[in-house]
Amino acid sequence: PLGPGGPLEVELDNVTFGYPGGKEPVLQGVTLKLAPGQVVAILGATGAGKSTLVNLIPRFFDVSAGCVRVGGRDVRTLTQDSLVSQIGVVPQESLLFSASVRENLRYGRPDATDEEVVQAAKAAQAHDFISKLPQGYDSQIAQRGANLSGGQKQRMAIARALLIRPRLLILDDSTSAVDVETEQLIQQALFDRQTPRTTLVVAQRISTVLSADRIVVLDKGRVVAEGTHAELLAKSDVYREIYESQLGAQRGAP
């Protein structure tokens, strides 16, 4: 198992991956490194392979070629349980259970105190809407969260991931259903450099990734550019096209 410690280092070394029966690999020759404590964002169009890439880290799938290392260890030498206990994963489609809000939030850490539950909910911008539910944190959630909006479900899932105090936090387009203002507030908590964790953010909305330490542009399963926002604007046609199509008109970009 991974030993105790601070933020985890993550490395993808010349990774190729294809689904069984697929004609072409979804990822081809991807090399990427996350230093401990960094916030790294992955940006790309639908179908670029972003979700597939992050699903290799907690070993939901194994690579076809190359190697994924977490904390310096090849993930194929680790059990999925040992990985998931250290990694908080928030998918775009949040899975909630038919149980109370409190029980849903404590799913990964049943011994969390009420105060810790509330702190995590506040960081995820979920506390206000939870407080307005008929029984607050004791309110019942319908199966798959059917009685909550998409944005509320995403905020619940983020709070649940934060509550386990992950050494690596993976956010797979997990704020897509919340408004931009709320997303910015969530980012302040998620990208808090004082919190000892490494963060990997997958996004289609470019506004989600602007404050990351490093942005990686994925296109058709390959890394085509990486750098800061300013560096990528200067050197990456793919990044510039995404930026101008989403934000150019708003910000007066050329």
Side-chain angles (χ1 to χ4, degrees):
L2 288 167
L8 288 167
E9 179 184 82
V10 179
E11 185 177 9
L12 280 74
D13 184 2
N14 199 26
V15 163
T16 294
F17 175 81
Y19 292 102
K23 293 181 180 179
E24 296 287 336
V26 180
L27 298 171
Q28 300 183 63
V30 172
T31 295
L32 176 65
K33 191 168 185 177
L34 283 72
Q38 261 194 331
V39 176
V40 175
I42 300 179
L43 189 72
T46 301
K50 304 184 299 297
S51 292
T52 299
L53 187 155
V54 297
N55 283 333
L56 296 174
I57 297 171
R59 212 181 163 197
F60 295 156
F61 307 105
D62 278 336
V63 298
S64 305
C67 181
V68 177
R69 299 184 189 91
V70 174
R73 299 276 301 277
D74 185 330
V75 294
R76 289 170 293 193
T77 69
L78 300 166
T79 65
Q80 194 179 30
D81 283 349
S82 68
L83 280 166
V84 173
S85 69
Q86 308 284 333
I87 300 174
V89 181
V90 187
Q92 184 176 1
E93 295 297 326
S94 308
L95 180 61
L96 299 178
F97 310 102
S98 181
S100 72
V101 170
R102 199 184 313 275
E103 289 167 323
N104 267 280
L105 295 182
R106 279 184 173 145
Y107 176 72
R109 196 171 146 232
D111 62 340
T113 66
D114 288 347
E115 182 181 353
E116 288 171 327
V117 169
V118 171
Q119 285 176 345
K122 285 181 175 178
Q125 300 300 307
H127 176 70
D128 285 354
F129 86 77
I130 292 170
S131 299
K132 292 173 184 173
L133 295 173
Q135 282 84 43
Y137 283 81
D138 294 314
S139 299
Q140 289 295 302
I141 300 298
Q143 189 66 32
R144 303 188 70 84
N147 54 340
L148 297 177
S149 71
Q152 289 172 334
K153 287 190 283 188
Q154 286 189 332
R155 283 176 276 171
M156 287 270 292
I158 291 168
R160 182 166 60 195
L162 291 176
L163 194 59
I164 69 169
R165 299 174 184 160
R167 298 167 66 189
L168 169 64
L169 180 63
I170 297 175
L171 304 158
D172 187 0
D173 208 16
S174 55
T175 55
S176 58
V178 304
D179 62 83
V180 174
E181 184 179 349
T182 302
E183 181 184 50
Q184 289 173 345
L185 293 170
I186 293 170
Q187 282 180 24
Q188 289 174 17
L190 297 181
F191 296 0
D192 177 12
R193 301 310 196 274
Q194 305 304 312
T195 303
R197 64 171 172 256
T198 306
T199 304
L200 180 60
V201 185
V202 170
Q204 293 188 49
R205 242 174 12 198
I206 205 164
S207 59
T208 309
V209 308
L210 294 178
S211 56
D213 295 318
R214 197 163 97 255
I215 302 168
V216 177
V217 183
L218 205 62
D219 188 42
K220 298 176 183 174
R222 296 181 183 273
V223 174
V224 294
E226 59 180 295
T228 64
H229 167 65
E231 289 168 346
L232 289 171
L233 271 184
K235 71 181 183 182
S236 170
D237 291 340
V238 174
Y239 184 82
R240 199 158 47 243
E241 285 172 14
I242 297 170
Y243 176 82
E244 291 177 359
S245 68
Q246 293 188 22
L247 297 181
Q250 301 169 29
R251 303 192 176 199

